[in-house]
């Protein structure tokens, strides 16, 4: 059972949090955070790299010391340093850092003054109105802590799709190794590519008289066996993730796949249609009376109720049934349609890789272009570029472009939208670029009205092309800022601006609902990774998944265009 990348990054993140609470040197803290980010953005499994004896110090943010720690984690499953740290500082304090508005200093103050060690302690203290009395805290903070806690309770049980993939992949491999297993699919929200997943629903077809259940329940990563039967078992993995395994008969596999892919609401709507035709649909097939008349494939199930095949990403009972009845389902965008990435960072700001390396990686993905969009100067923390440094980057890119064949680096920037709605760089430098992603990184808590007019004002600038990570949300950590997205999208459509769908699996900003809104507003989107390293360019697929859930076809997505058409499309009048 190899250690997964999320296991390693989680350990580094906890070390960073605990060190920070202890008041350690900020550079040390940052080193662990960078290492965590670096491991998260690897497209490959870290255990394999260690086993292959690869030089980990070549990874961004990984020096000799961190490399040694990665090896220790991969080889032993744990890190002694974290255990030591947890001996000094309560481990649960780390969880408090996820509550919005609580930084290391505040967590420490809560611990030292009120003895708050856990989320539970925090809730009690907030409810008893003890927090507002502390120095540096107020009634408002106390209120927002309570709200954030309520949100955290709802979120707690769900994990990001990216992590779910890292848990599912080795388990599926393991199950495939069993000689009795003929087919295996992960269904449920995982197959619908939801941004977060509650549990994994694995379906299998087995050879006659072969049971895979014993094999499943002794999987190395299993912490607890909840139930074990002939056709269904449930386990909890060490990470806390629950996994259901169901064995289905081959003859009804399509019906089972359809049933367990869900969503529940979609299933109910499909079954209603069946009832009207005097049919019954369940997880074993489609029946007329006692006779099974279909169910080997999902297509057969849809055929029986007069529906066109519906892609899993659309199965939310949100209009897809009606569209399938009238053959009006959208032809969804696919990863193969994407011709380039429109948001990426290099070493010039806070990226880990050089311009040349990023370009090489984009070429390896088969792209025709890559927009290099380093931060602008306002984001000093990320070493944002001023006009002079951007000018030099433009020259570098011009030179590099001359040497490239069939590929173009788009000269870009991720320019900050300042509080008054102006852009962080002057028009005369913005003019020299091919493309500008405009984003908010500061003053996140303005009122809805102010935040909206800030963005609307920014869009009046003729160099505004794409609104980067439009709501600023971080899944499970930070709600987006308050904005009137509908108004923004309508204005964007009228003025020739575009919305980013940030493909970072922690952001996925726009949501599926927002994508539908974009479709209705007539604004096109740019699916872009915001990659801070070579490996993260591969996260494009999460963005495409999300766009598909939002009914986006290739025509809705600007980076399905070739370079020439793209540049024509984004040119403002
Ligand atoms: P999750 O796990 O919360 O991310 O979401 P799902 O959609 O994976 O839900 P889950 O694991 O409870 O169930 C998997 C699928 O099984 C679900 O999408 C549809 C099907 N299913 C579960 N319970 C019911 C039910 O009561 N009725 C129907 N029609 N289908 C159900
Ligand atoms: Ca599930
Ligand atoms: Ca389930
Ligand atoms: Zn960015």
């Amino acid at each position: 059972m190899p250690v997964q990348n999320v296991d390693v990054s989680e350990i580094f993140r906890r070390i960073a949090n605990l060190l920070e609470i202890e008041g350690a040197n900020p550079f040390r803290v940052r080193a662990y955070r960078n290492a965590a980010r670096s491991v998260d953005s690897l497209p490959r499994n870290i255990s394999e790299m260690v086993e292959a004896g690869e030089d980990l110090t070549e990874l961004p943010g990984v020096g000799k010391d961190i490399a040694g720690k990665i090896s220790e984690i991969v080889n032993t499953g744990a890190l002694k340093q974290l255990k030591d740290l947890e001996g000094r500082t309560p481990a649960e304090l780390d969880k408090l850092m996820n509550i919005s508005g609580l930084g290391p200093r505040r967590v420490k103050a809560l611990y030292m003054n009120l003895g708050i060690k856990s989320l539970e302690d925090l809730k009690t203290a907030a409810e008893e109105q003890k927090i507002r009395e502390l120095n540096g805290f107020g009634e408002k903070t106390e209120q927002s802590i309570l709200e954030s806690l309520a949100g955290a309770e709802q979120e707690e049980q769900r994990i990001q799709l990216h992590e779910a993939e890292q848990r599912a992949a080795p388990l599926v491999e393991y199950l495939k190794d069993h000689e009795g297993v003929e087919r295996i699919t992960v269904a449920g929200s995982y197959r619908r590519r939801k941004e977060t997943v509650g549990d994994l629903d694995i379906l299998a077809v087995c050879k006659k008289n072969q049971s895979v259940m014993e094999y499943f329940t002794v999987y190395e990563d299993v912490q607890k066996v909840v139930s074990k039967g002939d056709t269904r078992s449930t386990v909890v993995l060490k990470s806390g993730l629950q996994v259901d395994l169901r064995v289905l008969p081959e003859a009804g596999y399509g019906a089972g796949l359809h049933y367990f892919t869900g969503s529940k609401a979609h299933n109910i709507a499909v079954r209603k249609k069946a009832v009207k035709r005097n049919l019954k649909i369940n997880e074993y097939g489609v029946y007329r009376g006692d006779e099974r008349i279909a169910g080997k494939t999902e297509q057969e199930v849809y055929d029986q109720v007069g529906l066109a095949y519906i892609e899993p990403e659309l199965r939310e009972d949100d209009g897809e049934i009606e569209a399938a009845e009238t053959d009006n389902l959208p032809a969804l965008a696919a990863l193969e349609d994407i011709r380039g990435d429109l948001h990426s960072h290099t070493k010039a700001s806070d990226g880990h890789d050089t311009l040349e390396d990023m370009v090489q990686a984009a070429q390896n993905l088969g792209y025709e272009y890559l927009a290099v969009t380093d931060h602008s100067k306002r984001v000093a923390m990320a070493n944002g570029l001023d006009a002079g440094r951007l000018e030099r980057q433009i020259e570098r890119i011009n030179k590099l472009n001359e040497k490239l064949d069939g590929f173009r680096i788009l000269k870009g920037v991720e320019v900050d939208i300042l509080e008054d709605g102006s852009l962080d760089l002057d028009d005369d430098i913005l003019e020299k670029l091919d493309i500008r992603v405009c984003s908010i990184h500061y003053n996140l808590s303005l009122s809805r009205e102010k935040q909206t007019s800030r963005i609307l004002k920014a869009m009046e600038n003729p160099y505004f092309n794409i609104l980067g990570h439009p709501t600023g949300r971080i899944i499970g950590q930070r709600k987006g800022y308050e904005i009137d997205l509908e108004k923004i999208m309508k204005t964007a459509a009228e003025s020739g601006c575009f919305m980013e769908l940030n493909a970072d699996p922690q952001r996925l900003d726009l949501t599926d609902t927002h994508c539908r809104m974009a479709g209705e507003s007539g604004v096109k989107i740019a699916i872009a990774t915001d990659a801070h390293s070579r490996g993260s360019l591969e996260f494009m697929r999460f963005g495409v998944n999300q766009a598909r859930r939002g009914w986006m076809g290739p025509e809705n997505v600007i980076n399905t265009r070739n370079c020439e058409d793209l540049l024509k499309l984004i040119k403002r009048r």
Side-chain angles (χ1 to χ4, degrees), residues 447-513:
S447 70
R448 181 178 161 98
E449 208 187 340
K450 280 200 179 129
Q451 201 68 283
T452 303
S453 51
R454 175 188 189 179
I455 294 172
L456 294 178
K457 169 89 196 307
M459 289 193 314
E460 286 172 14
N461 185 311
Y463 298 108
F464 189 116
N465 295 127
I466 298 171
L467 179 61
H469 42 74
T471 75
R473 69 112 173 224
I474 312 270
I475 297 174
Q477 274 181 49
R478 189 171 83 196
K479 251 175 60 191
Y481 20 85
E482 297 289 330
I483 45 171
D484 184 344
L485 204 50
E486 204 165 351
K487 189 163 177 190
I488 289 170
M489 286 187 180
K490 285 199 173 121
T491 313
E494 284 160 16
S495 52
C497 300
F498 303 93
M499 294 287 127
E500 177 177 85
L501 194 180
N502 193 294
D504 182 331
Q506 296 201 50
R507 287 192 182 265
L508 293 173
D509 179 10
L510 310 169
T511 65
D512 48 2
T513 315

Side-chain angles (χ1 to χ4, degrees), residues 188-362:
S189 52
Y190 185 91
R191 182 161 178 251
R192 303 199 311 280
R193 307 271 81 196
K194 249 186 112 159
E195 61 193 31
T196 61
V197 166
D199 73 352
L200 294 179
D201 306 280
I202 304 184
L203 308 178
V205 173
C206 287
K207 288 197 186 115
K208 248 196 174 143
N209 303 323
Q210 286 257 19
S211 174
V212 70
M213 288 309 181
E214 173 60 24
Y215 182 73
F216 172 57
T217 53
V218 300
Y219 178 54
E220 212 184 324
D221 196 28
V222 168
Q223 185 188 53
K224 192 172 90 181
V225 178
V226 179
S227 67
K228 188 174 154 194
D230 291 338
T231 59
R232 179 184 174 175
S233 297
T234 299
V235 302
V236 176
L237 302 182
K238 286 174 185 153
S239 59
L241 180 63
Q242 182 176 305
V243 186
D244 294 337
L245 175 65
R246 290 182 180 82
V247 175
L248 298 168
E250 172 75 34
Y253 196 66
L257 185 56
H258 181 262
Y259 184 93
F260 291 111
T261 296
S263 67
K264 194 170 161 181
H266 173 86
N267 289 353
I268 291 170
V270 170
R271 269 190 319 220
K272 257 195 211 148
K273 291 199 53 93
V275 169
K276 281 196 191 136
R277 295 176 174 225
N278 272 321
L279 300 174
K280 198 181 90 190
I281 297 182
N282 61 25
E283 60 266 52
Y284 303 110
V286 183
Y287 295 83
R288 180 174 290 124
D290 287 338
E291 185 198 359
R292 180 162 76 193
I293 57 167
K296 192 155 170 52
T297 64
E298 288 188 313
Q299 182 70 59
E300 280 187 13
V301 177
Y302 285 119
D303 284 345
Q304 287 300 328
V305 290
L307 295 177
Y309 178 80
I310 300 173
E311 298 283 355
E313 290 95 329
L314 298 182
R315 300 182 192 171
E316 300 293 343
D317 189 23
D318 199 8
E320 76 279 11
I321 306 273
E322 293 77 2
E325 279 169 351
T326 52
D327 251 327
N328 276 316
L329 284 168
L332 299 179
L335 187 56
E336 295 73 46
D337 295 327
I338 301 293
R339 304 229 199 167
D341 203 325
L342 296 180
H343 186 166
S344 70
H345 297 267
T346 71
K347 270 191 161 157
S349 63
D350 61 346
H352 290 300
D353 290 318
T354 62
L355 175 62
E356 289 78 5
D357 284 346
M358 292 298 284
V359 169
Q360 182 65 56

Side-chain angles (χ1 to χ4, degrees), residues 6 35 52 68 76 90 96 106 124 137 171 180 187 190-191 193 254 258 295 314 324 353 394 415 438 440 538 541:
V6 281
T76 69
L96 300 189
R106 287 188 154 173
T124 314
F137 294 76
L171 175 52
Y190 185 91
R191 182 161 178 251
R193 307 271 81 196
H258 181 262
L314 298 182
D353 290 318
I394 289 172
V415 61
C438 307
I440 286 182
E538 293 192 25
R541 60 201 171 84

